[in-house]
Amino acid sequence: MNEPEPLYKPLDDQHRADAHQWTQQPLTGPVELYEERQPVIYVPGPNGRMVAVLKEHLPTVPAPVPAPPPAGFDPVAQRVLGGGIGIGTAAAGVGWGVGQATAGLSSGSAALFLAALLAWRATRRGGDTYITNNHTTNRWWGRSSTSIRNH
């Protein structure tokens, strides 16, 4: 199994002296800020280890092929035509539905309504007439008697 390399190697005496001299020298050259660093992407290397590669050095994804220009009609005209066909189809569907509802209402519902009306009329006592006579007879000493007759 591959072991990762240590981030810092211990310095021997020669390298310590060089590092000490290097830190004593004034810095020159452009200053690179942390935010200005290029992004790094790790990719598998030839020996199986992950290798850091600048993002700008990686191959880019091929650009999508632009759509060919429309042939024939103007795109706006195609949208207007499609909208008109869609609205016409919707109106035809609504008209057909209203026609079906009207046909169903006029045949089935009308017959059912008439049957209910006849049943209601048959249960009513519309033909019989009752005459009620209230007959009151006054007698002596404030006595009255009332009789009711139905004919």
Side-chain angles (χ1 to χ4, degrees):
M1 184 177 280
N2 298 333
E3 293 188 22
E5 294 180 7
L7 294 176
Y8 301 103
K9 295 180 182 177
L11 298 175
D12 56 357
D13 292 335
Q14 176 64 32
H15 287 99
R16 282 190 190 148
D18 292 341
H20 182 67
Q21 290 175 357
W22 179 76
T23 57
Q24 299 301 324
Q25 295 175 355
L27 297 175
T28 58
V31 176
E32 180 183 357
L33 299 176
Y34 179 77
E35 287 84 16
E36 294 177 353
R37 291 185 182 173
Q38 296 293 327
V40 176
I41 297 178
Y42 289 92
V43 295
N47 58 358
R49 291 184 179 172
M50 298 301 282
V51 179
V53 178
L54 289 176
K55 187 176 182 180
E56 64 186 21
H57 294 295
L58 291 175
T60 59
V61 177
V65 178
F73 295 112
D74 180 28
V76 175
Q78 288 178 348
R79 283 193 294 259
V80 170
L81 179 66
I85 290 173
I87 290 173
T89 305
V94 168
W96 184 81
V98 168
Q100 291 295 316
T102 305
L105 201 71
S106 64
S107 61
S109 297
L112 184 64
F113 177 73
L114 287 175
L117 183 65
L118 290 175
W120 178 70
R121 296 271 300 189
T123 59
R124 263 186 66 206
R125 292 184 175 187
D128 296 336
T129 304
Y130 291 98
I131 299 172
T132 304
N133 291 327
N134 293 331
H135 183 70
T136 304
T137 305
N138 293 323
R139 298 189 183 206
W140 288 95
W141 312 109
R143 289 185 158 193
S144 299
S145 64
T146 303
S147 61
I148 299 174
R149 287 188 210 165
N150 291 326
H151 298 281

